Amino acid sequence: MPTAASEQVLPVSLTGFDLINSPRLNKGTAFTDRERDVFALHGLLPPHVGSLDEQIQRRMAALRGQPTSFAKYSLLRDLQDTNETLFYALLVRDVEEMLPLVYTPTVGEGCQRFSEIWRKPRGLFLSYPNKDRMEQILNHPRYDDVKCIVVSDGERILGLGDQGAGGMGIPIGKMALYTALGGIHPEHCLPILLDVGTDNEDRLKNPVYIGWRNHRIRGEEYDAFVDLFVQSVKNRWPHVLLQWEDFAGSNAARFLARYRDQLCTFNDDIQGTAAVASATLISAVNVTGVPLEQQKIAIVGFGSAGIGITNLLAQFMQDRGLTEAEARNRFYAIDRYGLVTEHGRDVRPEQLPYARKEEEVRGWKEAGGEITLLDVVRHAKPSVLIGVSGQPGAFTEEAVREMAKYSERPVIFPLSNPTSRSEATAQHLMDWTEGRALIGTGSPFEAVNVGRKKIPVTQTNNSYIFPGLALGILASGAKRVTDTMVKAAAEELVRHLPTQKDKQASLLPPLAEARELGRMIGRAVGRQAMRDGLAQVASEEELERELQANIWDPVYIPYELRSQ
């Protein structure tokens, strides 16, 4: 759709209440007098004819008057279900203020309390009892224009665990950022929740819970349901982009592996997190002056996200001259039972490439005990500490202070969301390192006190990556999502790091620039899709045309009554 309001008039068949009750078409008080004549809106609206700018000012005043972040989240969800153009205009006008409200950290509470505020249909709940109706549900004409899907089963919502049907808040939030930061038209975006039950007893006992009141199905039954979903999606939209979100770690990795060669798909928890964490670490390297390939990196939480970060960083190290074995040797992976070793407890096959040899670490632990983060810091002396464990307090004061003894500028990234699940607070990390730490957090934190100064905290937000990644995939018509396309997204973000020019700058660009970054990342991803031989565009010029064609700006355009 063209982005300028003057370029087109939209034919619309709805009138009266039906038009006002359509979130995609509603303009509220901004319907012109002529449109009120044509679409039978007089009397349904107050007489004042307003503008989008006036509506933004009014909604912003109402938003800032709300007492809590959750109240603001609820107001914004209502606005999205009432007037999408106004909702996205708010987001685009003030990304830095809006992003924490529509996504992390507030979306965590939004998922926990989703049943309290659910009012209007948005996206699809595909429940296990309705599995025989799945194709019928997907085949409705209202979904003919869908180009991208975000799907979750609600089992591992951020660091909050199983939220059942409340997990729908995540696909809704992600899709909102597809539009706000990637520019992808809302009509092309479909959030989906696979409701296979919940093992959260609080949800099951809650009388207002809107999901299927059943414990989670698992095993072959669960896999068959997910496969039915994937095959139904492939049949309905052969060229759709499918993003997996907040599945339990083992399911996240295996579904990505199983389906990545069947359709265009990626997992943001694994690949998007890896891309933004890698770019942020490279930014920190710009500050420390110690090359990436010389860093020793401890990863706390070695599930799908931790492995994804490690794999991408290892690839960046190989680009800088290390062998695969040398790159892997720079990492110390710490999981549920301490440092991952070759013959350690419950070590999974995907963790083994980074498992340390038993003889190397024999003297690192007390007899019969696990090798803790503190043990790793004392013996390996890592310069970088990354957390994706979902365990608050995992970065202990003793371990961080010990790390600060060996590193002039320790790089510490507590990436778990929401804020309540962060491995440490930003202020604690600064206090424990005498203000020397370079910090990147998964959720937003207030500026930290260092001496008499306040220092902003960099948020390593996946929203720097996945909206542009999606835009590039759609614009290029990519048939698959490759690791090289994800890496291209990270590399493009690296090109725009403020620390390239100023070592005192923030580790990442301002979130206010995220929409423009989304376009540049989309272009880089599209070019990589062409290099990979997976694009349907054949030239830079064609890619550029498709990029522009896939970008929507939230502005009101004139309507005319569609002839019947």
Side-chain angles (χ1 to χ4, degrees):
M1 175 179 291
T3 58
S6 61
E7 291 181 2
Q8 72 171 53
V9 175
L10 183 68
V12 172
S13 57
L14 300 179
T15 61
F17 270 113
D18 292 335
L19 178 56
I20 292 174
N21 286 326
S22 169
R24 290 181 186 170
L25 298 175
N26 184 27
K27 300 182 186 180
T29 57
F31 281 107
T32 65
D33 280 329
R34 179 185 176 280
E35 288 171 333
R36 297 177 190 211
D37 289 341
V38 171
F39 294 99
L41 299 176
H42 287 297
L44 299 178
L45 296 169
H48 171 71
V49 177
S51 67
L52 181 59
D53 285 340
E54 291 173 348
Q55 291 176 332
I56 290 172
Q57 292 174 14
R58 189 162 57 244
R59 286 298 89 200
M60 190 64 80
L63 187 70
R64 289 171 176 162
Q66 299 302 307
T68 65
S69 292
F70 177 72
K72 294 176 182 180
Y73 172 87
S74 181
L75 185 150
L76 287 168
R77 282 288 302 109
D78 281 347
L79 180 59
Q80 186 181 16
D81 288 339
T82 305
N83 183 331
E84 285 190 340
T85 303
L86 177 54
F87 170 78
Y88 286 113
L90 271 179
L91 265 61
V92 170
R93 294 286 180 94
D94 199 336
V95 171
E96 292 187 333
E97 182 174 352
M98 295 296 109
L99 195 59
L101 299 176
V102 298
Y103 205 61
T104 55
T106 313
V107 72
E109 187 175 359
C111 290
Q112 291 174 309
R113 301 175 63 180
F114 192 85
S115 295
E116 299 175 32
I117 63 172
W118 185 89
R119 294 178 181 86
K120 293 184 179 181
R122 175 161 294 274
L124 289 173
F125 291 89
L126 300 179
S127 64
Y128 188 73
N130 274 331
K131 62 182 183 295
D132 294 335
R133 299 185 179 95
M134 188 177 297
E135 289 202 2
Q136 173 191 340
I137 293 169
L138 296 180
N139 283 337
H140 195 282
R142 71 169 62 93
Y143 307 120
D144 285 351
D145 292 325
V146 166
K147 294 183 179 180
C148 41
I149 292 169
V150 174
V151 63
S152 179
D153 71 348
E155 185 172 9
R156 198 235 64 186
I157 297 301
L158 305 176
L160 301 171
D162 189 348
Q163 300 302 320
M168 177 59 112
I170 295 295
I172 289 174
K174 287 281 186 178
M175 297 260 75
L177 299 187
Y178 268 51
T179 299
L181 304 183
I184 298 169
H185 198 291
E187 70 183 11
H188 299 324
C189 300
L190 181 62
I192 292 182
L193 191 285
L194 301 181
D195 188 355
V196 292
T198 179
D199 291 333
N200 186 323
E201 295 298 330
D202 289 341
R203 299 294 168 269
L204 293 173
K205 294 175 182 176
N206 189 335
V208 303
Y209 178 60
I210 62 173
W212 180 40
R213 293 177 184 273
N214 201 78
H215 284 100
R216 282 187 175 271
I217 61 167
R218 298 196 181 275
E220 293 182 3
E221 199 173 17
Y222 170 74
D223 284 4
F225 181 73
V226 173
D227 192 65
L228 173 63
F229 163 71
V230 172
Q231 303 312 321
S232 298
V233 165
K234 286 168 60 179
N235 290 338
R236 177 67 166 97
W237 305 283
H239 305 296
V240 77
L241 168 62
L242 175 66
Q243 175 184 330
W244 305 88
E245 193 67 30
D246 282 3
F247 284 74
S250 58
N251 291 331
R254 68 192 184 90
F255 287 150
L256 179 61
R258 178 178 299 173
Y259 295 115
R260 66 183 306 166
D261 293 326
Q262 292 190 34
L263 75 167
C264 194
T265 189
F266 74 100
N267 185 302
D268 187 55
D269 299 316
I270 299 173
Q271 295 160 292
T273 301
V276 73
S278 296
T280 313
L281 179 51
I282 291 170
S283 190
V285 164
N286 292 339
V287 178
T288 67
V290 179
L292 178 64
E293 63 273 19
Q294 294 179 21
Q295 302 283 346
K296 289 184 178 180
I297 302 171
I299 304 277
V300 179
F302 208 53
S304 56
I307 294 171
I309 292 170
T310 305
N311 283 337
L312 186 55
L313 283 172
Q315 184 59 58
F316 274 109
M317 289 179 177
Q318 291 174 66
D319 291 346
R320 287 156 173 77
L322 297 190
T323 66
E324 183 178 16
E326 288 171 338
R328 288 176 174 174
N329 197 46
R330 307 305 297 179
F331 295 90
Y332 296 83
I334 300 166
D335 208 26
R336 181 179 180 185
Y337 300 110
L339 182 67
V340 175
T341 59
E342 285 182 325
H343 305 296
R345 183 176 177 184
D346 287 352
V347 176
R348 301 189 301 277
E350 61 269 26
Q351 296 175 326
L352 280 174
Y354 297 97
R356 312 302 297 196
K357 295 184 182 301
E358 302 291 341
E359 57 268 23
E360 174 193 356
V361 300
R362 189 166 289 124
W364 289 20
K365 61 181 176 180
E366 301 292 334
E370 66 185 34
I371 299 174
T372 66
L373 171 61
L374 179 58
D375 296 323
V376 170
V377 171
R378 283 174 173 164
H379 291 89
K381 298 179 175 57
S383 51
V384 178
L385 177 56
I386 298 174
V388 280
S389 66
Q391 299 301 311
F395 293 175
T396 63
E397 179 177 357
E398 189 175 10
V400 172
R401 287 191 181 276
E402 186 73 14
M403 182 181 179
K405 292 178 183 178
Y406 309 117
S407 180
E408 182 180 348
R409 299 298 307 272
V411 179
I412 307 178
F413 294 169
L415 299 182
S416 292
N417 286 312
T419 311
S420 62
R421 309 307 296 178
S422 181
E423 286 80 7
T425 69
Q427 187 63 61
H428 279 154
L429 293 175
M430 274 301 189
D431 292 343
W432 298 339
T433 61
E434 294 80 39
R436 292 183 285 120
L438 293 165
I439 300 172
T441 60
S443 285
F445 278 86
E446 294 293 328
V448 293
N449 296 308
V450 180
R452 296 183 178 181
K453 294 182 179 180
K454 279 197 170 291
I455 307 296
V457 178
T458 297
Q459 186 188 1
T460 61
N461 196 311
N462 286 21
S463 60
Y464 281 104
I465 293 292
F466 71 82
L469 178 63
L471 175 62
I473 290 165
L474 295 187
S476 66
K479 299 175 184 177
R480 299 289 181 267
V481 183
T482 62
D483 290 339
T484 52
M485 289 159 64
V486 176
K487 187 164 177 277
E491 290 171 335
E492 184 64 23
L493 179 55
V494 166
R495 292 186 187 97
H496 302 281
L497 295 174
T499 54
Q500 300 272 29
K501 298 178 180 179
D502 179 5
K503 289 188 176 183
Q504 303 302 316
S506 174
L507 296 181
L508 289 172
L511 279 170
E513 298 176 7
R515 187 171 170 92
E516 183 58 33
L517 277 169
R519 300 184 186 199
M520 292 185 283
I521 288 172
R523 186 175 294 110
V525 169
R527 287 170 176 165
Q528 186 62 50
M530 292 168 64
R531 288 192 290 270
D532 290 342
L534 293 170
Q536 296 182 47
V537 296
S539 67
E540 290 272 346
E541 293 76 15
E542 190 177 356
L543 173 62
E544 196 62 36
R545 285 196 299 271
E546 289 300 319
L547 278 170
Q548 296 307 316
N550 276 278
I551 292 173
W552 172 79
D553 285 331
V555 294
Y556 292 138
I557 59 176
Y559 295 164
E560 65 180 17
L561 187 63
R562 186 193 302 272
S563 58
Q564 301 298 320

